[in-house]
Amino acid sequence: MSVPQTPRTFGASTTAAEVIDGVDLHGRRAVVTGASSGIGVETARALAAAGADVTLAVRDTAAGARVAAGLEAGLPADAGKLAVARLDLADRSTVKAFVDAWTGPLHILVGNAGVMALPELTHTPDGRETQFAVNHLGHFALAVGLRQALAAADGARVVSVSSLGHLFSPVVFDDLDYRFRPYDPWTSYGQAKTANILFAVGAAERWADDGITANALMPGNIGGTSLARHVDPQQLAELIDTVGLALPPQKNVAQGAATSVLLAASPTVAGITGRYFEDCAQAEPVTERGTAVAGIAPYALDLENATRLWAMSEEFVR
């Protein structure tokens, strides 16, 4: 099946404000996870500025409240309302509480929160490796729990924030939790980011009849955000030198949020689903990691992989 291509009106330097310019989201409701820092704040700002009522779903509600107050002070008079709700993606009880508390339709769900390159192997209380649990399983449980609210919106969009890091590893189905292979912070991160893309592929396949689209994205190489708080600069420099890792040009947070906002609200991508975007356009396939600084690995868009991951994820979050 041919897939419509995104008009290349926007690019790597486009900001979230430029993407949302002229878009009217009044009457729409959005949830942005991890909206207390980094590109989550900018995503929430752009959606609210266009009129959407935005819930900042955050682990630290005090930090979320401070962010909401700061955003409100700079938003236009006709901006949407901001709310803050607790969501700890490593704690399924808070995911369930968030879902149970939600009423009415949900038009936009942006799975933005995440952790990266935890230096030591850790597991959540239910035994799942932490990066996989937080980045994928928590968002999976949230989206599945909110499916009826998304369906009620008649044209909802689900946005899954992934990464170029997916090129570090496919989902290793036989050892998701590093029970057998040596733990590595970057293959763990890569596996989780691949899972974010496969979730979008699976949701696109299952939820199309509900009018729900789902896409994943790479926000870019964004310095100075809390996502990199576990990354030792010296270790990263050694990794770059050892494996020949290359990084794309750095973006600021306003540019980093642009692709999330594009998928969440822009009419230029209406009807596109199950895809992976970067720099506000669909990514090109790559067949090996090498020194690639862009692109999508075939295993991350593979429907069989998505189906297998969906079935396993349903079992894990019961």
Side-chain angles (χ1 to χ4, degrees):
M1 181 180 71
S2 63
V3 178
Q5 296 298 303
T6 309
R8 293 192 175 256
T9 306
F10 308 124
S13 62
T14 301
T15 66
E18 289 169 340
V19 169
I20 207 70
D21 184 42
V23 176
D24 184 0
L25 296 179
H26 288 91
R28 308 288 182 90
R29 304 170 75 204
V31 169
V32 181
T33 71
S36 59
S37 65
I39 65 171
V41 176
E42 295 305 311
T43 302
R45 186 197 313 275
L47 298 177
D53 293 336
V54 183
T55 297
L56 284 60
V58 298
R59 186 168 53 87
D60 182 345
T61 54
R66 289 192 295 272
V67 166
L71 290 176
E72 286 170 344
L75 287 171
D78 64 343
K81 297 178 181 178
L82 297 176
V84 177
R86 185 164 189 266
L87 180 72
D88 182 347
L89 293 165
D91 182 349
R92 287 214 305 272
S93 68
T94 73
V95 177
K96 183 178 186 302
F98 185 97
V99 169
D100 289 347
W102 189 268
T103 57
L106 174 60
H107 302 82
I108 299 166
L109 174 60
V110 182
N112 168 81
V115 293
M116 181 173 73
L118 297 181
E120 304 292 335
L121 174 62
T122 61
H123 293 93
T124 58
D126 54 344
R128 306 267 72 93
E129 188 275 319
T130 300
Q131 292 197 74
F132 184 78
V134 171
N135 294 338
H136 168 62
L137 288 177
H139 281 123
F140 177 86
L142 179 67
V144 170
L146 291 171
R147 178 181 176 178
Q148 294 307 313
L150 292 163
D154 189 23
R157 298 189 186 190
V158 178
V159 180
S160 182
V161 179
S162 181
S163 170
L164 176 69
H166 81 275
L167 298 179
F168 281 123
S169 178
V171 173
V172 181
F173 291 102
D174 293 324
D175 192 20
L176 293 170
D177 301 308
Y178 288 83
R179 305 291 184 184
F180 295 93
R181 54 189 168 135
Y183 176 75
D184 175 80
W186 292 105
T187 61
S188 168
Y189 181 66
Q191 172 177 255
K193 294 290 102 179
T194 295
N196 289 150
I197 303 168
L198 290 173
F199 161 73
V201 174
E205 180 75 9
R206 287 161 180 77
W207 296 351
D209 288 345
D210 290 328
I212 301 168
T213 60
N215 291 288
L217 69 116
M218 157 67 169
N221 174 21
I222 305 151
T225 71
S226 62
L227 180 64
R229 62 188 177 276
H230 299 293
V231 178
D232 183 302
Q234 180 60 36
Q235 289 180 343
L236 180 58
E238 292 173 358
L239 177 69
I240 290 172
D241 184 60
T242 300
V243 305
L245 172 69
L247 295 174
Q250 206 168 77
K251 295 182 178 183
N252 60 40
V253 289
Q255 294 166 333
T259 308
S260 294
V261 173
L262 177 98
L263 294 175
S266 175
T268 66
V269 295
I272 296 177
T273 190
R275 301 289 99 190
Y276 173 81
F277 284 67
E278 59 194 3
D279 295 338
C280 296
Q282 289 191 50
E284 298 294 331
V286 294
T287 57
E288 61 182 33
R289 188 180 78 201
T291 57
V293 295
I296 176 69
Y299 55 71
L301 291 178
D302 184 86
L303 184 56
E304 289 187 8
N305 287 343
T307 300
R308 185 177 184 186
L309 178 64
W310 194 282
M312 295 178 75
S313 300
E314 283 185 323
E315 184 67 27
F316 292 156
V317 302
R318 281 181 182 169

